[in-house]
Protein backbone atom coordinates (compact mmCIF):
# COMPACT_ATOMS: atom_id res chain seq x y z
CA UNK A 1 0.00 0.00 0.00
CA UNK A 2 2.84 2.37 0.91
CA UNK A 3 6.07 2.26 -1.04
CA UNK A 4 7.70 4.77 1.28
CA UNK A 5 9.47 2.90 4.14
CA UNK A 6 8.74 5.72 6.59
CA UNK A 7 5.03 5.59 5.74
CA UNK A 8 4.98 1.83 6.30
CA UNK A 9 6.73 2.25 9.63
CA UNK A 10 4.27 4.94 10.61
CA UNK A 11 1.31 2.71 9.75
CA UNK A 12 2.73 -0.16 11.82
CA UNK A 13 3.28 2.23 14.73
CA UNK A 14 -0.30 3.49 14.51
CA UNK A 15 -1.71 -0.06 14.50
CA UNK A 16 0.47 -1.18 17.39
CA UNK A 17 -0.33 1.89 19.46
CA UNK A 18 -4.05 1.56 18.73
CA UNK A 19 -4.18 -2.07 19.84
CA UNK A 20 -2.30 -1.35 23.06
CA UNK A 21 -4.17 1.78 24.16
CA UNK A 22 -7.60 3.26 24.68
CA UNK A 23 -6.95 6.03 22.16
CA UNK A 24 -9.44 4.62 19.67
CA UNK A 25 -12.23 5.87 21.93
CA UNK A 26 -11.93 9.31 20.30
CA UNK A 27 -13.38 8.09 17.01
CA UNK A 28 -16.13 6.22 18.81
CA UNK A 29 -17.76 9.54 19.63
CA UNK A 30 -18.81 9.84 15.99
CA UNK A 31 -20.39 6.38 15.79
CA UNK A 32 -20.80 5.26 19.39
CA UNK A 33 -23.80 5.48 21.68
CA UNK A 34 -22.63 8.52 23.68
CA UNK A 35 -23.17 11.09 20.93
CA UNK A 36 -26.26 9.22 19.72
CA UNK A 37 -27.80 9.38 23.19
CA UNK A 38 -26.94 13.08 23.39
CA UNK A 39 -28.68 13.70 20.08
CA UNK A 40 -31.72 11.65 21.08
CA UNK A 41 -32.14 13.55 24.35
CA UNK A 42 -32.23 16.86 22.48
CA UNK A 43 -34.63 15.86 19.74
CA UNK A 44 -38.01 17.64 19.93
CA UNK A 45 -41.29 15.79 19.36
CA UNK A 46 -41.63 15.36 15.60
CA UNK A 47 -43.52 13.33 13.05
CA UNK A 48 -41.92 11.35 10.27
CA UNK A 49 -40.94 13.67 7.44
CA UNK A 50 -38.74 13.57 4.39
CA UNK A 51 -36.05 15.36 6.39
CA UNK A 52 -36.15 14.34 10.08
CA UNK A 53 -33.99 16.33 12.55
CA UNK A 54 -31.05 13.89 12.52
CA UNK A 55 -30.85 13.78 8.73
CA UNK A 56 -31.32 17.55 8.54
CA UNK A 57 -28.42 18.12 10.92
CA UNK A 58 -26.27 15.67 8.94
CA UNK A 59 -27.01 17.55 5.71
CA UNK A 60 -26.40 20.90 7.42
CA UNK A 61 -22.98 19.66 8.60
CA UNK A 62 -22.17 18.40 5.11
CA UNK A 63 -22.92 21.89 3.79
CA UNK A 64 -20.46 23.39 6.27
CA UNK A 65 -17.72 21.01 5.12
CA UNK A 66 -18.42 21.31 1.40
CA UNK A 67 -16.89 23.89 -0.96
CA UNK A 68 -20.37 24.29 -2.49
CA UNK A 69 -22.51 25.29 0.49
CA UNK A 70 -25.78 25.77 -1.35
CA UNK A 71 -28.99 24.13 -0.18
CA UNK A 72 -29.54 22.96 -3.75
CA UNK A 73 -26.40 20.81 -3.64
CA UNK A 74 -27.43 19.30 -0.29
CA UNK A 75 -30.86 18.36 -1.62
CA UNK A 76 -29.43 17.04 -4.90
CA UNK A 77 -27.06 14.75 -2.97
CA UNK A 78 -29.92 13.45 -0.83
CA UNK A 79 -32.01 12.76 -3.94
CA UNK A 80 -29.16 10.91 -5.68
CA UNK A 81 -28.45 8.80 -2.58
CA UNK A 82 -32.10 7.74 -2.42
CA UNK A 83 -32.03 6.86 -6.10
CA UNK A 84 -28.82 4.81 -5.77
CA UNK A 85 -30.23 3.00 -2.71
CA UNK A 86 -33.30 1.94 -4.70
CA UNK A 87 -35.70 4.19 -2.76
CA UNK A 88 -38.45 6.36 -4.17
CA UNK A 89 -36.88 9.48 -5.74
CA UNK A 90 -37.63 12.70 -3.89
CA UNK A 91 -38.07 16.21 -5.22
CA UNK A 92 -34.97 18.33 -5.79
CA UNK A 93 -36.74 21.51 -4.73
CA UNK A 94 -35.14 23.03 -1.60
CA UNK A 95 -38.28 24.26 0.16
CA UNK A 96 -38.80 21.17 2.36
CA UNK A 97 -35.15 21.08 3.40
CA UNK A 98 -35.09 24.80 4.24
CA UNK A 99 -38.19 24.39 6.39
CA UNK A 100 -36.55 21.40 8.10
CA UNK A 101 -33.47 23.49 8.89
CA UNK A 102 -35.74 26.13 10.39
CA UNK A 103 -37.42 23.51 12.62
CA UNK A 104 -34.05 22.16 13.80
CA UNK A 105 -33.68 23.26 17.47
CA UNK A 106 -30.87 25.75 17.92
CA UNK A 107 -30.27 24.51 21.47
CA UNK A 108 -29.64 21.04 20.09
CA UNK A 109 -26.86 22.30 17.82
CA UNK A 110 -25.36 24.49 20.60
CA UNK A 111 -25.30 21.62 23.05
CA UNK A 112 -23.76 19.15 20.61
CA UNK A 113 -20.98 21.58 19.68
CA UNK A 114 -20.14 22.29 23.33
CA UNK A 115 -20.45 18.62 24.31
CA UNK A 116 -18.07 17.51 21.57
CA UNK A 117 -15.53 20.17 22.57
CA UNK A 118 -15.67 19.27 26.26
CA UNK A 119 -15.51 15.54 25.48
CA UNK A 120 -12.30 15.86 23.45
CA UNK A 121 -10.66 18.36 25.83
CA UNK A 122 -11.41 16.21 28.88
CA UNK A 123 -9.65 13.23 27.31
CA UNK A 124 -6.56 15.11 26.20
CA UNK A 125 -3.45 13.39 27.60
CA UNK A 126 -1.06 15.06 30.02
CA UNK A 127 1.52 15.60 27.29
CA UNK A 128 -0.82 18.07 25.53
CA UNK A 129 -0.85 20.39 28.55
CA UNK A 130 1.41 23.32 29.40
CA UNK A 131 3.51 22.54 32.46
CA UNK A 132 0.76 20.18 33.60
CA UNK A 133 -2.03 22.76 33.30
CA UNK A 134 -4.94 23.18 30.91
CA UNK A 135 -4.58 26.27 28.71
CA UNK A 136 -7.58 28.01 27.18
CA UNK A 137 -7.26 30.62 24.44
CA UNK A 138 -9.77 33.43 23.94
CA UNK A 139 -10.27 35.74 21.00
CA UNK A 140 -13.01 37.50 19.10
CA UNK A 141 -13.91 37.89 15.45
CA UNK A 142 -16.76 39.06 13.22
CA UNK A 143 -18.83 37.43 10.51
CA UNK A 144 -21.08 39.04 7.92
CA UNK A 145 -24.71 38.18 7.25
CA UNK A 146 -26.93 38.66 4.18
CA UNK A 147 -28.24 42.20 3.92
CA UNK A 148 -31.85 41.58 4.90
CA UNK A 149 -34.05 43.89 7.02
CA UNK A 150 -34.34 41.21 9.72
CA UNK A 151 -30.56 40.82 10.01
CA UNK A 152 -29.96 44.57 9.93
CA UNK A 153 -32.45 45.12 12.76
CA UNK A 154 -30.66 42.73 15.12
CA UNK A 155 -27.07 42.94 13.87
CA UNK A 156 -26.61 46.41 12.32
CA UNK A 157 -23.75 47.29 10.02
CA UNK A 158 -20.96 49.71 11.01
CA UNK A 159 -21.91 53.39 11.17
CA UNK A 160 -19.16 54.27 8.70
CA UNK A 161 -21.14 52.67 5.86
CA UNK A 162 -24.18 54.20 4.23
CA UNK A 163 -27.50 52.36 4.66
CA UNK A 164 -27.96 49.67 2.05
CA UNK A 165 -24.25 49.46 1.18
CA UNK A 166 -22.90 47.39 4.06
CA UNK A 167 -23.69 44.04 5.58
CA UNK A 168 -24.93 43.12 9.07
CA UNK A 169 -22.04 42.22 11.36
CA UNK A 170 -22.12 39.68 14.17
CA UNK A 171 -19.34 39.55 16.76
CA UNK A 172 -18.27 36.21 18.18
CA UNK A 173 -15.94 35.41 21.09
CA UNK A 174 -14.74 31.85 21.48
CA UNK A 175 -12.81 29.86 24.09
CA UNK A 176 -10.48 27.30 22.50
CA UNK A 177 -8.49 24.45 24.06
CA UNK A 178 -4.79 24.95 23.28
CA UNK A 179 -3.95 21.25 23.46
CA UNK A 180 -6.66 19.78 21.22
CA UNK A 181 -7.81 22.86 19.30
CA UNK A 182 -11.53 22.31 19.94
CA UNK A 183 -13.94 25.17 20.63
CA UNK A 184 -15.23 24.79 24.18
CA UNK A 185 -17.83 27.56 24.00
CA UNK A 186 -18.69 30.72 22.12
CA UNK A 187 -20.87 33.80 22.53
CA UNK A 188 -22.36 36.00 19.82
CA UNK A 189 -23.63 39.56 19.89
CA UNK A 190 -24.01 42.80 18.00
CA UNK A 191 -20.97 44.38 16.42
CA UNK A 192 -21.74 47.67 18.13
CA UNK A 193 -23.91 48.66 21.04
CA UNK A 194 -24.10 47.73 24.71
CA UNK A 195 -23.25 44.13 25.46
CA UNK A 196 -21.59 43.47 22.12
CA UNK A 197 -17.96 44.05 23.06
CA UNK A 198 -15.53 41.18 23.54
CA UNK A 199 -15.33 41.66 27.32
CA UNK A 200 -19.11 41.37 27.75
CA UNK A 201 -19.32 38.30 25.52
CA UNK A 202 -16.46 36.63 27.40
CA UNK A 203 -18.13 37.30 30.77
CA UNK A 204 -21.24 35.48 29.52
CA UNK A 205 -19.27 32.23 29.00
CA UNK A 206 -16.78 32.40 31.88
CA UNK A 207 -18.44 29.36 33.46
CA UNK A 208 -16.80 27.31 30.70
CA UNK A 209 -13.45 27.76 32.48
CA UNK A 210 -12.54 25.52 35.40
CA UNK A 211 -10.39 26.08 38.45
CA UNK A 212 -6.63 25.83 37.72
CA UNK A 213 -7.13 26.68 34.02
CA UNK A 214 -4.83 29.24 32.38
CA UNK A 215 -6.54 31.78 30.12
CA UNK A 216 -4.43 33.44 27.41
CA UNK A 217 -5.64 36.42 25.40
CA UNK A 218 -4.57 39.61 23.68
CA UNK A 219 -4.62 43.19 24.96
CA UNK A 220 -8.45 43.49 24.82
CA UNK A 221 -8.75 41.39 27.96
CA UNK A 222 -6.12 42.92 30.27
CA UNK A 223 -8.63 44.82 32.43
CA UNK A 224 -8.81 45.17 36.19
CA UNK A 225 -12.24 43.60 36.75
CA UNK A 226 -11.59 40.59 34.51
CA UNK A 227 -8.31 39.89 36.31
CA UNK A 228 -10.14 40.08 39.65
CA UNK A 229 -12.92 37.77 38.45
CA UNK A 230 -10.46 35.18 37.17
CA UNK A 231 -8.45 35.27 40.39
CA UNK A 232 -11.61 34.71 42.45
CA UNK A 233 -12.43 31.66 40.32
CA UNK A 234 -8.93 30.20 40.75
CA UNK A 235 -8.05 30.79 37.09
CA UNK A 236 -4.71 32.28 36.04
CA UNK A 237 -4.43 34.74 33.18
CA UNK A 238 -1.73 35.71 30.70
CA UNK A 239 -2.64 38.76 28.61
CA UNK A 240 -0.76 41.31 26.62
CA UNK A 241 -0.75 44.62 28.43
CA UNK A 242 -3.28 47.14 27.16
CA UNK A 243 -1.73 49.69 24.83
CA UNK A 244 -2.58 52.73 26.95
CA UNK A 245 -0.99 51.26 30.07
CA UNK A 246 1.90 49.70 28.15
CA UNK A 247 3.13 53.14 27.21
CA UNK A 248 3.34 54.12 30.89
CA UNK A 249 4.77 50.87 32.28
CA UNK A 250 7.73 51.63 34.56
CA UNK A 251 9.70 48.57 35.64
CA UNK A 252 11.49 50.64 38.29
CA UNK A 253 8.29 50.58 40.36
CA UNK A 254 6.90 47.71 42.40
CA UNK A 255 8.75 44.60 43.54
CA UNK A 256 11.54 43.74 41.14
CA UNK A 257 11.73 40.08 40.04
CA UNK A 258 14.33 40.40 37.31
CA UNK A 259 15.19 42.45 34.23
CA UNK A 260 11.95 44.08 33.06
CA UNK A 261 9.97 41.83 35.38
CA UNK A 262 8.14 43.08 38.48
CA UNK A 263 5.07 42.80 40.69
CA UNK A 264 2.72 45.78 40.92
CA UNK A 265 -0.52 46.51 42.73
CA UNK A 266 -3.42 47.71 40.57
CA UNK A 267 -6.00 49.91 42.26
CA UNK A 268 -9.71 49.60 41.58
CA UNK A 269 -10.88 52.22 39.04
CA UNK A 270 -12.63 55.13 40.70
CA UNK A 271 -15.37 55.21 38.05
CA UNK A 272 -17.78 52.30 37.78
CA UNK A 273 -18.06 50.84 34.26
CA UNK A 274 -21.45 51.20 32.57
CA UNK A 275 -21.90 47.45 32.24
CA UNK A 276 -21.32 46.80 35.95
CA UNK A 277 -23.96 47.00 38.65
CA UNK A 278 -23.35 49.03 41.81
CA UNK A 279 -23.44 45.88 43.95
CA UNK A 280 -20.82 44.12 41.81
CA UNK A 281 -18.64 47.22 41.84
CA UNK A 282 -18.86 47.44 45.64
CA UNK A 283 -17.94 43.74 46.00
CA UNK A 284 -14.90 44.03 43.74
CA UNK A 285 -11.57 44.06 45.67
CA UNK A 286 -9.89 47.40 46.18
CA UNK A 287 -6.64 46.18 44.62
CA UNK A 288 -5.08 43.21 42.87
CA UNK A 289 -1.43 42.19 42.56
CA UNK A 290 -0.25 41.23 39.09
CA UNK A 291 3.04 40.58 37.38
CA UNK A 292 4.29 42.65 34.47
CA UNK A 293 7.16 41.54 32.27
CA UNK A 294 8.69 42.48 28.96
CA UNK A 295 9.51 39.56 26.67
CA UNK A 296 9.37 38.79 22.97
CA UNK A 297 8.81 42.45 22.14
CA UNK A 298 5.59 42.58 24.18
CA UNK A 299 4.61 43.59 27.69
CA UNK A 300 2.61 40.85 29.39
CA UNK A 301 0.43 41.01 32.48
CA UNK A 302 -0.26 37.80 34.38
CA UNK A 303 -1.49 36.41 37.68
CA UNK A 304 1.32 33.81 37.65
CA UNK A 305 3.40 35.72 40.18
CA UNK A 306 6.27 33.41 41.11
CA UNK A 307 9.29 33.71 38.75
CA UNK A 308 10.71 30.39 39.98
CA UNK A 309 7.56 28.39 39.28
CA UNK A 310 6.87 30.25 36.03
CA UNK A 311 10.02 31.79 34.53
CA UNK A 312 9.90 34.50 31.91
CA UNK A 313 10.93 32.10 29.14
CA UNK A 314 7.92 29.86 29.89
CA UNK A 315 5.54 32.81 29.73
CA UNK A 316 7.09 33.94 26.45
CA UNK A 317 6.52 30.54 24.81
CA UNK A 318 3.01 30.35 26.28
CA UNK A 319 1.97 33.72 24.89
CA UNK A 320 3.46 32.85 21.51
CA UNK A 321 1.08 29.89 21.43
CA UNK A 322 -1.81 32.39 21.60
CA UNK A 323 -1.42 32.71 17.84
CA UNK A 324 -3.05 29.29 17.48
CA UNK A 325 -6.45 30.81 18.23
CA UNK A 326 -5.98 33.17 15.28
CA UNK A 327 -5.28 30.16 13.07
CA UNK A 328 -8.28 28.32 14.50
CA UNK A 329 -10.57 31.24 13.66
CA UNK A 330 -9.05 31.35 10.19
CA UNK A 331 -9.81 27.64 9.77
CA UNK A 332 -13.43 28.18 10.81
CA UNK A 333 -13.98 31.32 8.75
CA UNK A 334 -11.84 30.70 5.66
CA UNK A 335 -11.30 26.93 5.35
CA UNK A 336 -14.88 26.05 6.35
CA UNK A 337 -16.37 29.28 4.99
CA UNK A 338 -18.14 30.79 8.02
CA UNK A 339 -16.87 34.30 7.21
CA UNK A 340 -19.94 35.00 5.03
CA UNK A 341 -23.13 33.45 6.37
CA UNK A 342 -26.00 32.62 4.02
CA UNK A 343 -29.08 32.45 6.25
CA UNK A 344 -31.60 35.26 5.87
CA UNK A 345 -32.83 35.64 9.48
CA UNK A 346 -30.93 36.24 12.75
CA UNK A 347 -32.09 32.99 14.37
CA UNK A 348 -31.01 30.90 11.39
CA UNK A 349 -27.72 32.79 11.10
CA UNK A 350 -26.80 32.00 14.72
CA UNK A 351 -27.82 28.38 14.14
CA UNK A 352 -25.55 28.35 11.08
CA UNK A 353 -22.63 29.62 13.20
CA UNK A 354 -23.08 26.76 15.66
CA UNK A 355 -23.29 24.20 12.85
CA UNK A 356 -19.92 25.45 11.64
CA UNK A 357 -18.51 25.18 15.18
CA UNK A 358 -19.86 21.63 15.49
CA UNK A 359 -18.32 20.68 12.14
CA UNK A 360 -15.03 22.23 13.24
CA UNK A 361 -15.03 20.27 16.51
CA UNK A 362 -15.75 16.99 14.71
CA UNK A 363 -12.77 17.57 12.43
CA UNK A 364 -10.65 18.40 15.48
CA UNK A 365 -11.83 15.14 17.04
CA UNK A 366 -10.44 13.21 14.06
CA UNK A 367 -7.18 15.14 14.32
CA UNK A 368 -6.93 14.36 18.03
CA UNK A 369 -7.42 10.66 17.32
CA UNK A 370 -4.83 10.65 14.54
CA UNK A 371 -2.34 12.62 16.63
CA UNK A 372 -2.73 10.31 19.60
CA UNK A 373 -2.23 7.19 17.52
CA UNK A 374 0.76 8.68 15.66
CA UNK A 375 2.28 10.00 18.91
CA UNK A 376 2.16 13.61 17.76
CA UNK A 377 0.48 16.81 18.92
CA UNK A 378 -2.80 17.82 17.25
CA UNK A 379 -1.30 21.24 16.48
CA UNK A 380 1.29 19.52 14.30
CA UNK A 381 -1.38 18.21 11.90
CA UNK A 382 -3.05 20.09 9.05
CA UNK A 383 -6.69 21.07 9.54
CA UNK A 384 -7.40 21.61 5.84
CA UNK A 385 -5.80 18.30 4.94
CA UNK A 386 -8.06 16.56 7.47
CA UNK A 387 -11.15 18.25 6.01
CA UNK A 388 -10.19 17.11 2.52
CA UNK A 389 -9.51 13.55 3.68
CA UNK A 390 -12.81 13.37 5.57
CA UNK A 391 -14.87 14.66 2.62
CA UNK A 392 -13.46 11.95 0.34
CA UNK A 393 -13.85 9.31 3.08
CA UNK A 394 -17.49 10.28 3.69
CA UNK A 395 -18.26 9.98 -0.03
CA UNK A 396 -16.86 6.45 -0.34
CA UNK A 397 -17.42 4.79 3.04
CA UNK A 398 -19.96 1.98 3.30
CA UNK A 399 -20.63 2.04 7.04
CA UNK A 400 -19.04 -1.37 7.62
CA UNK A 401 -15.37 -0.40 7.47
CA UNK A 402 -12.84 -2.79 8.97
CA UNK A 403 -10.52 -1.49 11.69
CA UNK A 404 -7.57 -1.58 9.29
CA UNK A 405 -9.36 0.88 7.05
CA UNK A 406 -10.03 3.17 9.98
CA UNK A 407 -6.39 2.94 11.01
CA UNK A 408 -5.49 3.81 7.43
CA UNK A 409 -7.71 6.91 7.64
CA UNK A 410 -5.81 8.11 10.70
CA UNK A 411 -2.50 7.35 8.98
CA UNK A 412 -3.52 9.58 6.08
CA UNK A 413 -4.56 12.38 8.44
CA UNK A 414 -1.27 12.19 10.37
CA UNK A 415 0.94 12.22 7.28
CA UNK A 416 0.71 15.97 6.60
CA UNK A 417 2.45 18.08 9.23
CA UNK A 418 2.31 21.87 9.43
CA UNK A 419 5.58 23.75 9.37
CA UNK A 420 7.11 25.51 12.37
CA UNK A 421 7.47 29.16 11.36
CA UNK A 422 7.97 31.22 14.51
CA UNK A 423 7.92 34.97 14.04
CA UNK A 424 6.52 34.72 10.52
CA UNK A 425 5.47 38.09 9.10
CA UNK A 426 3.40 38.51 5.94
CA UNK A 427 2.02 41.73 4.37
CA UNK A 428 -1.73 42.18 4.62
CA UNK A 429 -2.10 42.70 0.89
CA UNK A 430 -3.19 40.72 -2.15
CA UNK A 431 -1.30 40.38 -5.40
CA UNK A 432 -4.11 39.27 -7.73
CA UNK A 433 -6.24 42.24 -8.73
CA UNK A 434 -10.04 42.04 -8.60
CA UNK A 435 -12.18 42.63 -11.67
CA UNK A 436 -12.19 46.31 -12.70
CA UNK A 437 -15.74 47.06 -11.62
CA UNK A 438 -16.48 50.20 -9.62
CA UNK A 439 -17.74 49.97 -6.05
CA UNK A 440 -21.49 49.99 -5.44
CA UNK A 441 -22.04 53.36 -3.73
CA UNK A 442 -25.85 53.32 -3.68
CA UNK A 443 -28.53 50.77 -2.98
CA UNK A 444 -28.93 48.03 -5.56
CA UNK A 445 -32.49 49.13 -6.38
CA UNK A 446 -31.31 52.66 -7.26
CA UNK A 447 -28.40 51.23 -9.26
CA UNK A 448 -30.79 49.07 -11.32
CA UNK A 449 -33.05 52.05 -12.00
CA UNK A 450 -30.05 54.09 -13.13
CA UNK A 451 -28.94 51.33 -15.54
CA UNK A 452 -32.44 51.00 -16.99
CA UNK A 453 -32.57 54.74 -17.63
CA UNK A 454 -29.00 55.46 -18.75
CA UNK A 455 -27.54 52.06 -19.62
CA UNK A 456 -24.22 50.63 -18.46
CA UNK A 457 -21.12 52.83 -18.58
CA UNK A 458 -19.28 52.60 -21.87
CA UNK A 459 -16.15 50.97 -20.45
CA UNK A 460 -18.21 48.17 -18.86
CA UNK A 461 -20.17 47.28 -22.00
Amino acid sequence: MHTNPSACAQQRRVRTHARNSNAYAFFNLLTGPELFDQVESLLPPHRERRFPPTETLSMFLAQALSPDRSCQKAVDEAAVKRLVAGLTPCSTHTGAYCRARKRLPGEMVHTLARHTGRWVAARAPESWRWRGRRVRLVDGTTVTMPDTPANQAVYPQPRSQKPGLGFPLCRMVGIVCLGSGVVLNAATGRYRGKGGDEQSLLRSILDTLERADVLVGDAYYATYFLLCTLRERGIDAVFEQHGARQRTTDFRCGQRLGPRDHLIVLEKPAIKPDWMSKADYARAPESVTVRELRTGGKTLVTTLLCPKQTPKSALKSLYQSRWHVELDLRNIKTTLGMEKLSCQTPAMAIKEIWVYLLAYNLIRLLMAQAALLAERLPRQLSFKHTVQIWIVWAEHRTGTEHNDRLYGLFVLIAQQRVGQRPGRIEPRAIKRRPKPYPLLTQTRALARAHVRKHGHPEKLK
Side-chain angles (χ1 to χ4, degrees), residues 71-358:
C71 291
Q72 186 65 63
K73 180 178 183 297
V75 174
D76 289 346
E77 285 185 346
V80 170
K81 288 179 180 178
R82 288 182 60 86
L83 191 62
V84 171
L87 301 176
T88 305
C90 64
S91 172
T92 57
H93 293 293
T94 60
Y97 173 60
C98 291
R99 290 190 294 272
R101 291 203 315 174
K102 187 176 181 180
R103 290 192 301 268
L104 191 66
E107 185 60 30
M108 171 184 173
V109 185
H110 304 175
T111 304
L112 285 176
R114 292 191 294 262
H115 172 77
T116 307
R118 289 195 304 267
W119 195 92
V120 177
R123 286 157 179 78
E126 188 76 15
S127 59
W128 295 3
R129 297 185 178 185
W130 176 78
R131 303 172 71 87
R133 300 187 63 176
R134 300 181 300 266
V135 176
R136 309 307 187 206
L137 309 176
V138 61
D139 201 13
T141 188
T142 58
V143 295
T144 61
M145 299 178 175
D147 188 17
T148 63
N151 286 339
Q152 286 280 13
V154 180
Y155 299 98
Q157 66 187 50
R159 293 191 181 94
S160 59
Q161 295 175 317
K162 294 181 181 180
L165 302 184
F167 292 90
L169 275 182
C170 173
R171 191 188 303 278
M172 184 186 78
V173 170
I175 297 178
V176 177
C177 172
L178 173 61
S180 61
V182 293
V183 175
L184 299 173
N185 206 346
T188 57
R190 300 158 61 97
Y191 173 74
R192 56 183 173 88
K194 187 175 181 180
D197 59 285
E198 292 189 20
Q199 286 269 340
S200 298
L201 295 178
L202 174 60
R203 286 193 296 270
S204 68
I205 55 175
L206 273 183
D207 290 340
T208 305
L209 302 174
E210 301 177 13
R211 183 171 292 274
D213 284 352
V214 179
L215 183 64
V216 181
D218 57 22
Y220 281 109
Y221 304 100
T223 61
Y224 177 86
F225 294 106
L226 180 57
L227 290 170
C228 291
T229 302
L230 294 176
R231 191 188 67 169
E232 291 173 358
R233 292 170 177 252
I235 301 166
D236 283 311
V238 179
F239 302 139
E240 184 180 356
Q241 184 59 280
H242 192 273
R245 179 170 175 79
Q246 184 173 341
R247 291 190 293 270
T248 60
T249 299
D250 187 355
F251 288 101
R252 296 172 297 179
C253 303
Q255 179 184 344
R256 187 175 185 273
L257 302 178
R260 293 191 173 187
D261 189 356
H262 68 166
L263 297 180
I264 59 169
V265 177
L266 300 180
E267 304 293 338
K268 182 165 73 171
I271 301 177
K272 180 185 72 66
D274 294 336
W275 57 266
M276 200 175 198
S277 67
K278 293 182 178 180
D280 290 338
Y281 178 78
R283 284 195 299 267
E286 297 298 324
S287 64
V288 61
T289 301
V290 297
R291 179 182 176 189
E292 279 185 327
L293 63 149
R294 184 74 178 176
T295 180
K298 299 182 181 296
T299 301
L300 305 182
V301 56
T302 178
T303 55
L304 296 166
L305 307 182
C306 181
K308 293 183 179 179
Q309 294 180 357
T310 314
K312 181 188 287 190
S313 58
L315 290 172
K316 176 183 177 181
S317 63
L318 175 61
Y319 191 77
Q320 286 177 340
S321 66
R322 190 207 69 84
W323 189 250
H324 284 296
V325 72
E326 303 280 357
L327 302 180
D328 295 337
L329 292 175
R330 184 188 68 180
N331 286 329
I332 298 172
K333 294 176 61 176
T334 303
T335 304
L336 295 184
M338 194 186 75
E339 188 170 11
K340 298 177 182 178
L341 303 178
S342 60
C343 292
Q344 305 292 307
T345 62
M348 283 300 300
I350 298 302
K351 192 184 302 183
E352 185 179 3
I353 289 176
W354 280 101
V355 167
Y356 275 109
L357 295 181
L358 175 57

Side-chain angles (χ1 to χ4, degrees), residues 422-461:
R424 179 184 179 189
I425 297 176
E426 294 289 344
R428 291 188 174 182
I430 57 175
K431 181 178 179 180
R432 191 176 298 278
R433 271 57 173 174
K435 292 183 178 181
Y437 292 121
L439 295 176
L440 186 65
T441 57
Q442 55 185 342
T443 62
R444 194 168 293 276
L446 291 176
R448 290 196 192 100
H450 185 273
V451 171
R452 290 192 185 98
K453 184 176 181 180
H454 303 284
H456 290 286
E458 289 294 331
K459 62 180 181 180
L460 297 180
K461 288 184 178 180

